[in-house]
Amino acid sequence: MIERQDTKQRMSRIVKHNGTIYLCGQVCKDADAGIAEQTATMLEKVDELLVQAGSDRNHMLSATVYLRDMKDFAAMNEVWDAWVPEGYAPARACVEARMARPELLVEVSVIAAEVVS
């Protein structure tokens, strides 16, 4: 069974299948902010969606990070490293990409396992 949450014409914010959770790409809450704040608020949104889907950051399997410019790699990683629980880092890729809007500096797509209680 496939379960979709917050589904619109273009995409679902969450898709669940066989205990795996797929989140749509997440961006910051304030696109006028710098890379550190954009990364922090983007990750807050990931936390919210993971909880809504029945998971948390300890159960992340994979993350793909998109940076507008690799010059922001170190600053983004400072926030990322503080956010990821020690010992629970997902498989991760980070690529430079053209963003949907020029003011967006970072986006992330996350796959996680559902927490079974």
Side-chain angles (χ1 to χ4, degrees):
M1 183 176 98
I2 299 173
E3 177 187 343
R4 301 174 198 282
Q5 296 180 19
D6 295 332
T7 300
K8 307 275 190 283
Q9 176 63 33
R10 183 168 295 148
M11 67 182 161
S12 297
R13 293 186 74 202
I14 299 168
V15 175
K16 295 167 72 171
H17 179 256
N18 285 340
T20 304
I21 298 163
Y22 304 85
L23 302 184
C24 69
Q26 294 302 302
V27 297
C28 63
K29 294 179 181 178
D30 179 6
D32 293 325
I35 186 64
E37 186 177 337
Q38 282 199 26
T39 302
T41 62
M42 169 191 77
L43 294 174
E44 288 172 10
K45 290 168 72 175
V46 169
D47 277 331
E48 292 165 6
L49 286 176
L50 286 172
V51 168
Q52 179 181 335
S55 190
D56 56 42
R57 65 178 93 155
N58 290 354
H59 291 81
M60 289 188 299
L61 303 171
S62 175
T64 304
V65 179
Y66 305 92
L67 284 174
R68 186 181 77 184
D69 192 320
M70 277 297 180
K71 72 176 176 49
D72 291 328
F73 186 71
M76 179 277 300
N77 274 329
E78 278 189 47
V79 178
W80 175 270
D81 291 345
W83 179 77
V84 173
E86 188 167 339
Y88 294 92
R92 192 187 96 166
C94 184
V95 298
E96 186 173 88
R98 189 173 309 189
M99 307 306 267
R101 299 188 327 254
E103 61 274 13
L104 294 173
L105 304 177
V106 63
E107 181 172 347
V108 68
S109 180
V110 170
I111 300 171
E114 191 170 16
V115 176
V116 180
S117 28

